[in-house]
Amino acid sequence: MVPTAMEMQQIRYFLALADTLNFTRAAENCNVAQPSLTRAIKSLEDELGGPLFHRERNRSHLTDLGRLMHPYLEQVYANTEAAKVRAKDFTTLKDAPLTLGVMCTIGPVMLVDLISRYRDRNPGIDVRLRDGSGMQLVEHLANGKIDIAIVGLPDGIDDRFHAMRLFDERFFIAVAPGHRFEKMAAVRVGDLHGERYLNRTSCEFYDHVGDIFRQQGVEVDCPYRSERDDWIQGMVLSGLGFGFMPEYAITAPGLVIRPMIEPEVTRTINLVTVRGRPHSPAVGALVREAMTFKWTT
């Protein structure tokens, strides 16, 4: 059972008296009147079933029961004080954890400055990044496995969650130097017919774009699939086909990138929390940071 405020006061008085073995000095150390300390010790003795001190005129001594109880009450008091310190550190962001889920298809270029500024302004927060697909992350968020998520899904975010827009991102076609698309300012969907497509299996917009291809009668060859964007980009750079990927996720130097048009495909990247769930101080601090962050594209 968690001690009440009065019980903790009794324990504090007991420890002070066990240290000084003098009721007057113990009361002075606790900044309390001696009669109040004496009554608290008597109440604790009644609860524990026997005397804790042999009372003498100038000096008192612990009884056998007092010596037995001393290490236990000392530990209870120490644990309670440690819990208070830990709680204060948490609420004041001196030692607070934050598990941030970031969708695996979001490139770091648009987020590293936000996370860096957040960390600089809240040095006591232990930031832990976890990646995954968009649907995995929203379920982890709902189940409490992560505290907050950054995702962008083609069908938006369902009503279980609150989504705050961070930035919009276009999808680009990436090819190797020398490809015929290099001479174009943009690549129409119809231009992709008959091309080799290197499929990012983690792409949340795969089905959405597949529907667009079918509507326009566009057929592509798909000789290679990978969950890893870096492998896809390397294969594209080697001339093995084209890639369809978000603008700010393209990191391989030397790739030729052109916006896809007719239609243009974009996604909105959101900072997502569970609707109605109280935020931890660390989550609240990240939301505030994102609200004031200057997103540049």
Side-chain angles (χ1 to χ4, degrees), residues 231-246:
W231 274 88
I232 291 293
Q233 293 184 47
M235 299 292 281
V236 170
L237 194 57
S238 297
L240 297 179
F242 77 88
F244 167 78
M245 55 193 62

Side-chain angles (χ1 to χ4, degrees), residues 201-222:
T201 57
S202 58
C203 178
E204 290 81 11
F205 279 69
Y206 177 78
D207 292 336
H208 176 70
V209 173
D211 290 341
I212 294 175
F213 285 5
R214 284 188 288 275
Q215 290 168 9
Q216 297 200 19
V218 171
E219 296 182 0
V220 295
D221 181 27
C222 192

Side-chain angles (χ1 to χ4, degrees), residues 96-224:
L98 177 79
T99 302
L100 169 62
V102 180
M103 198 166 71
C104 60
T105 62
I106 299 177
V109 63
M110 292 295 286
L111 299 178
V112 290
D113 287 345
L114 169 67
I115 295 173
S116 178
R117 194 171 82 169
Y118 173 70
R119 186 68 177 81
D120 288 344
R121 295 187 180 184
N122 304 279
I125 295 180
D126 178 17
V127 180
R128 304 170 188 179
L129 297 180
R130 179 179 296 182
D131 67 357
S133 71
M135 293 308 299
Q136 286 173 336
L137 291 180
V138 294
E139 288 308 311
H140 288 336
L141 187 59
N143 295 332
K145 294 181 179 179
I146 59 177
D147 300 310
I148 192 168
I150 298 178
V151 299
L153 299 175
D155 297 325
I157 308 299
D158 69 54
D159 291 340
R160 293 177 296 168
F161 306 99
H162 178 269
M164 183 177 77
R165 176 187 169 275
L166 300 182
F167 60 90
D168 294 326
E169 183 174 23
R170 295 179 298 172
F171 278 82
F172 274 55
I173 300 300
V175 294
H179 192 282
R180 66 186 181 93
F181 292 165
E182 187 172 15
K183 297 180 180 180
M184 301 179 179
V187 177
R188 297 184 297 270
V189 169
D191 296 328
L192 298 172
H193 184 73
E195 292 284 337
R196 291 192 304 270
Y197 170 42
L198 305 182
N199 181 9
R200 300 161 47 248
T201 57
S202 58
C203 178
E204 290 81 11
F205 279 69
Y206 177 78
D207 292 336
H208 176 70
V209 173
D211 290 341
I212 294 175
F213 285 5
R214 284 188 288 275
Q215 290 168 9
Q216 297 200 19
V218 171
E219 296 182 0
V220 295
D221 181 27
C222 192
Y224 189 86

